[in-house]
Amino acid sequence: MLVRLEVVKGPEAGRFFEFEEADSFLVGRSPKAHFILEPTADQQISRYHFLLDIRPPQCLVQDLESKNGTYVNHQRIRRQRLKDLDEIRAGQTVLRIRIPQWDDNAFEDEDQGSKPPAQYPSMSVIQREAFERRLKSVPPASSRAFPCYGCDRDLGRWAQGDGWAEKLPDARYLCPTCTAAQRSQNITRDTIGNYRILREIGRGGMGVVYKAVHEPTRRLCAVKEILPDAAGDEKNLKLFDREIGVQSMVIHPNLARILERGRDGDRLFFSIEYLEGGDAHNLVSEVFRGPVNPRLASIITCDILRGLQALHDHGFVHRDLKPRNLLLSRAHDDPLMSAKITDYGLAKSFEEAGNSMFDFTRVGEVAGSMMFMAPEQILDYRFVRPPADVYSVGVSLYFLLTRKFSIDFPGAPSPQGKGQKQLRHPIHAMIEDPPIPILQRRPDLSPELAKVVDTAVQKDIGLRFSTADQFLEALEAVLPGIPSA
């Protein structure tokens, strides 16, 4: 699949750019842009004018709060999906996009090989032994009781039905009576696949997340349904199914376990273990209502780095790590609480970089999510590697400790108009602004912890931790000196 961008008018007329795989393409007068337009030749071009998000065969154009606007087919736009032969104008420059029809044979199902599940490869010997002792301390499923989370009724005859009971020591179960009692009145549908929906717990541009009960086992699960508009056509459904299947084989105690993937009518869904402690962002917004206790934030981050190293060891880059994708297995003050990465089933293999609809379809994401992204995700998308995820975890820790980003957030884009102040798009800050030392945000932190955090959020890849293990080692070294309160 080849997407071609042709310059048909302006000082650079005659140039063209071709894309065979997923990429980002930044246009403006900044020397960091991929297509640099000289201000002496075209004075209407902004430093960062617009961004093309290319996911063959789909493309999205995003105006970056340019002074003179970005136009598609003579209409000023902020964000728009492009079609074959659409023309984009920025100043005097006009670019025409060529998007060929989808090749029906391009993405036939492929043999994914017999790569075995990974059994927590990134854990140290001590960590692995501790985790295995915990699993061994759980009685065999045949001799355990599986009480209903609502009424304590024993649900053992259901819970053991699929053979997963011993693999999910944190799982909760709900009997039919308590399921009916806990079901929200606002839910307009009863089931998806074999799951009885209790309530909606999240919604984004790509789909809806439900708290649900797996009726054959009575196990509480989180079910993510992919909306039809996000799934697109049949080939995108195949791509989704293939990626979920491959990445669900990476098994680690700090990765939320993918339990099932399926289809209900024209909608795809997948289920993961339900983690009752909520996400790390909730600690800041609801539990602490401000910065999180430094020791707790560090312990959570150590767990996340262990899971992240497992993903990287198997060739996957998450690309969307942020506090909302870091889940707690139990309440934050429970001694058995552990933190796990979610949405890793939507990660992109850096060994097979290419077509993916997932970044493209998150139209509903707030601009603030960009502040957790490494600059190279815009400037060098095709070659994003594990250090980008390590950076995102660093910014997430910074946020937990301060309730602020590592750079000043420039504000969400607002409509252009007379008398309105020109706002910077978050991408400007992502690329250009240096990180603010964390002690300026929170001077009570220990200098040792501050040094680790400041290293983790450096924009220069050569100055930050290059692997999750490096970050983990540095954080574990200062953890003993961090007070518990």
Side-chain angles (χ1 to χ4, degrees):
M1 179 62 63
L2 183 70
V3 171
R4 183 182 174 99
L5 196 62
E6 304 168 345
V7 185
V8 295
K9 291 183 182 178
E12 300 284 340
R15 291 188 66 182
F16 65 91
F17 306 88
E18 294 182 337
F19 308 89
E20 295 184 0
E21 55 188 6
D23 208 344
S24 294
F25 188 73
L26 185 62
V27 176
R29 56 183 173 82
S30 167
K32 294 184 178 180
H34 301 109
F35 181 27
I36 303 170
L37 295 170
E38 293 293 338
T40 54
D42 192 343
Q43 298 182 4
Q44 300 179 60
I45 296 294
S46 295
R47 183 171 175 79
Y48 297 107
H49 203 100
F50 70 82
L51 176 72
L52 280 177
D53 191 14
I54 300 165
R55 303 290 182 271
Q58 303 179 87
C59 294
L60 184 79
V61 61
Q62 168 81 57
D63 180 70
L64 301 180
E65 295 298 294
S66 60
K67 182 177 180 181
N68 294 301
T70 300
Y71 294 77
V72 173
N73 302 332
H74 309 293
Q75 297 291 321
R76 187 165 183 168
I77 60 93
R78 170 168 294 164
R79 183 181 178 100
Q80 183 166 314
R81 188 189 302 265
L82 297 172
K83 305 184 300 297
D84 188 36
L85 297 178
D86 277 349
E87 292 189 346
I88 310 164
R89 180 171 67 81
Q92 301 175 35
T93 298
V94 177
L95 302 98
R96 180 183 297 139
I97 192 159
R98 300 305 312 271
I99 306 174
Q101 293 299 309
W102 185 280
D103 179 0
D104 284 340
N105 298 316
F107 289 99
E108 292 301 322
D109 289 336
E110 300 172 8
D111 180 12
Q112 295 299 329
S114 57
K115 187 176 180 181
Q119 297 295 333
Y120 30 91
S122 68
M123 302 177 75
S124 68
V125 173
I126 294 175
Q127 293 163 348
R128 185 182 302 117
E129 289 176 349
F131 180 72
E132 289 174 345
R133 280 197 303 271
R134 183 185 174 197
L135 286 182
K136 290 177 181 178
S137 70
V138 178
S142 59
S143 63
R144 284 173 59 194
F146 294 86
C148 171
Y149 197 42
C151 67
D152 287 335
R153 173 186 171 188
D154 183 17
L155 302 177
R157 68 186 181 93
W158 283 285
Q160 301 174 54
D162 62 355
W164 282 76
E166 293 184 7
K167 302 173 186 177
L168 301 169
D170 292 319
R172 304 290 192 181
Y173 301 84
L174 210 60
C175 73
T177 301
C178 292
T179 296
Q182 292 191 22
R183 187 176 184 275
S184 170
Q185 298 302 311
N186 297 324
I187 295 296
T188 57
R189 58 186 303 186
D190 292 328
T191 62
I192 177 169
N194 288 324
Y195 297 85
R196 178 71 56 177
I197 296 172
L198 296 179
R199 61 183 176 89
E200 182 179 314
I201 57 177
R203 179 178 288 266
M206 196 181 73
V208 183
V209 184
Y210 300 108
K211 180 180 180 181
V213 175
H214 183 235
E215 292 195 299
T217 62
R218 311 310 310 174
R219 183 185 302 118
L220 280 171
C221 300
V223 179
K224 187 159 191 175
E225 176 187 40
I226 309 303
L227 297 177
D229 287 346
D233 61 21
E234 185 67 23
K235 296 303 181 290
N236 277 345
L237 301 184
K238 286 187 177 182
L239 286 169
F240 169 83
D241 189 62
R242 186 175 67 183
E243 288 198 2
I244 289 289
V246 173
Q247 289 155 84
S248 64
M249 293 193 305
V250 185
I251 299 169
H252 189 277
N254 297 117
L255 298 174
R257 191 78 172 259
I258 294 178
L259 304 175
E260 181 184 1
R261 64 189 188 277
R263 179 185 293 192
D264 189 338
D266 63 347
R267 301 191 179 197
L268 290 174
F269 69 87
F270 65 94
S271 64
I272 66 171
E273 56 181 316
Y274 179 73
L275 301 170
E276 64 184 46
D279 62 55
H281 189 279
N282 188 61
L283 288 178
V284 175
S285 61
E286 300 295 333
V287 178
F288 287 86
R289 295 186 180 274
V292 174
N293 172 283
R295 186 171 182 83
L296 174 61
S298 299
I299 289 172
I300 290 171
T301 304
C302 285
D303 277 354
I304 295 305
L305 290 168
R306 295 182 189 108
L308 182 60
Q309 189 63 54
L311 278 182
H312 291 169
D313 285 346
H314 286 78
F316 300 117
V317 178
H318 190 290
R319 296 181 185 266
D320 193 26
L321 286 168
K322 56 191 176 186
R324 291 197 186 279
N325 283 339
L326 315 180
L327 303 182
L328 308 185
S329 65
R330 303 190 180 194
H332 72 280
D333 53 356
D334 188 319
L336 295 179
M337 181 275 295
S338 62
K340 307 189 182 193
I341 297 172
T342 190
D343 270 2
Y344 66 93
L346 305 184
K348 190 63 197 163
S349 170
F350 66 81
E351 293 177 344
E352 298 181 18
N355 299 278
S356 179
M357 65 175 178
F358 302 117
D359 295 327
F360 177 84
T361 56
R362 292 179 313 172
V363 178
E365 288 285 298
V366 295
S369 294
M370 294 181 181
M371 306 305 276
F372 295 99
M373 290 171 54
E376 60 263 31
Q377 287 190 242
I378 295 296
L379 298 175
D380 199 9
Y381 180 86
R382 286 182 298 166
F383 301 101
V384 169
R385 294 294 187 263
D389 282 344
V390 177
Y391 174 89
S392 297
V393 175
V395 178
S396 295
L397 175 57
Y398 191 110
F399 181 81
L400 292 178
L401 292 170
T402 65
R403 204 180 186 179
K404 295 180 183 296
F405 301 113
S406 57
I407 52 180
D408 283 329
F409 184 59
S414 65
Q416 304 283 339
K418 275 192 174 183
Q420 289 184 318
K421 183 179 179 181
Q422 177 74 23
L423 294 177
R424 296 173 73 215
H425 193 279
I427 285 178
H428 298 204
M430 283 175 56
I431 295 173
E432 294 190 335
D433 293 359
I436 298 170
I438 195 168
L439 289 177
Q440 292 185 23
R441 306 282 205 196
R442 189 166 176 182
D444 64 310
L445 291 180
S446 72
E448 293 79 14
L449 176 58
K451 182 178 179 180
V452 172
V453 177
D454 286 341
T455 300
V457 299
Q458 291 299 312
K459 294 192 173 183
D460 186 329
I461 294 179
L463 298 179
R464 76 173 86 120
F465 299 113
S466 60
T467 69
D469 272 347
Q470 286 182 3
F471 189 178
L472 175 61
E473 182 179 359
L475 194 53
E476 285 183 326
V478 302
L479 190 58
I482 303 174
S484 57

